[in-house]
Amino acid sequence: MAHRIFMTSATLAPSQPTLRLSSNTRSTQFKELTALHILRRSTVFALTAVAALMSSAAWADNSSPVGLWRNVDDVSGKPRALIRITESNGTLQGRIEKVFLAANESPTCAKCEGALKNAPVVGLVILSGLKKNGDEYTGGQILDPDNGKVYSSKISVTNGGKKLNVRGFIGVSLLGRSQVWERQQ
């Protein structure tokens, strides 16, 4: 036969109060804990959503040409190089970070003149002096490492920031050549 032990308040130490919860009180506490749990999860979700929106807003400003761009060969349609465009004091500069060379091509600027003669193409500054002028960046220069010549240049961001129109020219913009570069970052 099972024995049941009943404790009365007299058998408890005086410093230990008896706590009896009615089923209504337990139900209310459960609801409060559930509501608190939902509130915490909602707060975490809201903070995560705000952080995601803020980071996507930073990436959404593609009106600037600052970033990494891939240029493509006009004839073959194959990638030629990755160029990183940076801004310092309102002036843009583009430096080659990586080249995709054909078997017969040199990794140096063999046709460049002066200090750039036989300089490695990787690390070479090919865009310089571009300043914002309305929707374009103008007044700069572009170096063509294939022929070693320096041309006047202007650039503009298009297609929602995914493309960069790059124009090199002699004298007036009508006498020149354009390329479309693709944003990589």
Side-chain angles (χ1 to χ4, degrees), residues 32-109:
E32 288 173 356
L33 287 174
T34 303
L36 184 60
H37 181 73
I38 291 170
L39 181 62
R40 280 190 194 144
R41 284 191 144 191
S42 298
T43 303
V44 168
F45 175 76
L47 291 174
T48 303
V50 167
L53 288 173
M54 288 177 68
S55 67
S56 67
W59 283 97
D61 181 22
N62 288 328
S63 62
S64 170
V66 172
L68 187 65
W69 297 89
R70 179 180 65 198
N71 76 340
V72 176
D73 186 84
D74 298 336
V75 178
S76 71
K78 293 182 179 180
R80 293 282 294 149
L82 295 178
I83 299 102
R84 169 92 46 200
I85 296 178
T86 58
E87 181 179 356
S88 178
N89 298 322
T91 303
L92 297 180
Q93 170 178 294
R95 181 181 305 274
I96 295 177
E97 281 195 359
K98 182 177 182 177
V99 291
F100 307 101
L101 296 174
N104 62 343
E105 292 180 311
S106 171
T108 63
C109 192

Side-chain angles (χ1 to χ4, degrees), residues 3 6 10 14-15 55 78 89 99 106 108 111 117 139 144 147 178 184-185:
H3 296 282
F6 293 96
S15 63
S55 67
K78 293 182 179 180
N89 298 322
V99 291
S106 171
T108 63
K111 295 184 179 178
K117 179 84 173 157
D144 184 346
N147 64 20
S178 292
Q184 301 299 294
Q185 287 181 344

Side-chain angles (χ1 to χ4, degrees), residues 10 21 27 42 53 55 68 73 77 90 98 127-128 148-149 173 183:
L21 299 175
S27 174
S42 298
L53 288 173
S55 67
L68 187 65
D73 186 84
K98 182 177 182 177
L127 276 174
S128 61
K149 294 186 180 179
S173 181
R183 186 181 293 274

